[in-house]
Amino acid sequence: MGQPENESRLWCATEVDENLEVVPNKWGFCNQKCGYCGGSDVNSSSLNRDYSRPCGYDCLINPFKPMVGSDKVPLLIPTVSVSQPTQANYLGVIGTGQYILNIGPQSITLSCPQTKFFDPALQQQSSINLKCGSQQYRFTATTDSGATLSTNLKNTMFGCDPCPSSYSYIPGFLSSRDFSSNGVFYDVETVQDCKAICEESCHCQTFDYSKQQSRCQLIKELITKPSFSFNLGDYVLCAKAEDEEGLSCGINSKTRCFASALPPAAYNCQLPDFN
């Protein structure tokens, strides 16, 4: 079929004939975004195969795979930390950062450093602790304080929201005619920094942020519907949650060009005329 000899990676057919046999040279290796068995070694002996574990493990954490909601929202990739010392049910890492476990006590921490988890089951937590079980291909998730969030999570539920806590992602792009700017800030390294600038102002209900451009624009209105349904580059619109409206804001916000927790030279800024 044109495969390299002695290759141990999983592969699948990309085209089959009328007998459902693979067409020569019409195949490919499973990549890191494949399903549960993606990246597994091929078990060459059916006599030694554990049919209760067709993949060779019970649970897989692959932070790079498409997560639920990623078809509509530019979800971020969580970070992964394996609790030490490792337990007997932890089997290690395969491929590019794919963590495999059997059901058991090993804990793995997933975090959204600047934002929070997108899936509602994770209740906007920014960090969760996962254990494999109580059944194959499912996880139990707890908070850092030990509260149980769910006992039946799939491994496609770990995408990070593009907006930080207390802000909601608004899909789409705003025309400059449809909002009032409260200033544009440059050299803003993270979406969390953009949030801090917004909350320093008494005139910011929404912000528009680009990681690639390090650009943060404050918007006076609480945006609920964008001008266009498509996104522009990596820009994300983040609007304050309804229960966050009316919170206290920064002192002298009409003239400040920086967040109070950061040095004045941290950002270049363009502020509107408030007179």
Side-chain angles (χ1 to χ4, degrees):
M1 291 184 297
Q3 299 163 248
E5 294 185 4
N6 303 318
E7 181 57 64
S8 63
R9 289 176 292 174
L10 285 179
W11 61 275
C12 63
T14 58
E15 185 177 340
V16 295
D17 59 23
E18 63 273 10
N19 298 316
L20 300 183
E21 298 288 341
V22 62
V23 174
N25 297 314
K26 297 295 184 179
W27 62 277
F29 289 118
C30 297
N31 66 20
Q32 65 179 6
K33 294 185 178 181
C34 287
Y36 255 94
C37 292
S40 299
D41 291 334
V42 174
N43 192 333
S44 59
S45 172
S46 61
L47 296 177
N48 295 327
R49 186 172 297 162
D50 181 358
Y51 286 98
S52 68
R53 287 192 175 113
C55 298
Y57 45 82
D58 292 331
C59 291
L60 169 74
I61 296 174
N62 180 359
F64 304 101
K65 72 181 301 177
M67 299 292 177
V68 173
S70 61
D71 58 329
K72 298 179 181 179
V73 179
L75 298 180
L76 306 178
I77 297 171
T79 61
V80 183
S81 177
V82 179
S83 298
Q84 301 293 331
T86 57
Q87 305 297 313
N89 67 304
Y90 177 66
L91 303 179
V93 183
I94 59 173
T96 307
Q98 301 177 68
Y99 301 78
I100 54 176
L101 311 89
N102 288 331
I103 294 172
Q106 177 66 49
S107 179
I108 293 183
T109 300
L110 266 61
S111 300
C112 299
Q114 299 295 329
T115 64
K116 75 276 190 185
F117 285 100
F118 177 76
D119 197 283
L122 299 177
Q123 301 176 26
Q124 298 196 4
Q125 297 292 314
S126 60
S127 177
I128 57 173
N129 301 304
L130 298 176
K131 291 184 179 179
C132 177
S134 56
Q135 59 179 305
Q136 281 184 321
Y137 315 135
R138 295 295 185 269
F139 292 90
T140 294
T142 59
T143 65
D144 291 339
S145 62
T148 299
L149 296 169
S150 176
T151 59
N152 191 39
L153 290 176
K154 296 181 180 180
N155 74 341
T156 56
M157 302 170 72
F158 304 137
C160 294
D161 197 302
C163 292
S165 59
S166 72
Y167 284 73
S168 299
Y169 171 72
I170 307 298
F173 177 67
L174 273 181
S175 166
S176 59
R177 300 187 301 269
D178 295 336
F179 69 92
S180 305
S181 176
N182 192 37
V184 179
F185 298 76
Y186 298 88
D187 303 324
V188 182
E189 294 185 357
T190 71
V191 69
Q192 187 69 29
D193 290 339
C194 190
K195 171 188 174 181
I197 299 171
C198 181
E199 296 193 340
E200 186 69 10
S201 170
C202 293
H203 304 277
C204 178
Q205 295 294 322
T206 306
F207 65 80
D208 190 23
Y209 178 70
S210 167
K211 174 71 173 177
Q212 293 179 0
Q213 303 295 325
S214 299
R215 182 181 185 274
C216 172
Q217 176 155 279
L218 307 189
I219 298 171
K220 293 182 181 180
E221 296 85 4
L222 183 66
I223 302 298
T224 58
K225 184 178 181 180
S227 309
F228 305 100
S229 59
F230 60 86
N231 286 70
L232 179 66
D234 73 326
Y235 280 89
V236 293
L237 271 177
C238 300
K240 284 185 178 180
E242 291 184 3
D243 57 357
E244 297 293 329
E245 293 183 66
L247 294 181
S248 60
C249 50
I251 300 172
N252 199 22
S253 59
K254 291 185 178 181
T255 57
R256 299 189 73 162
C257 287
F258 55 91
S260 59
L262 297 166
Y267 310 119
N268 296 317
C269 63
Q270 299 174 0
L271 290 177
D273 184 3
F274 288 95
N275 296 325

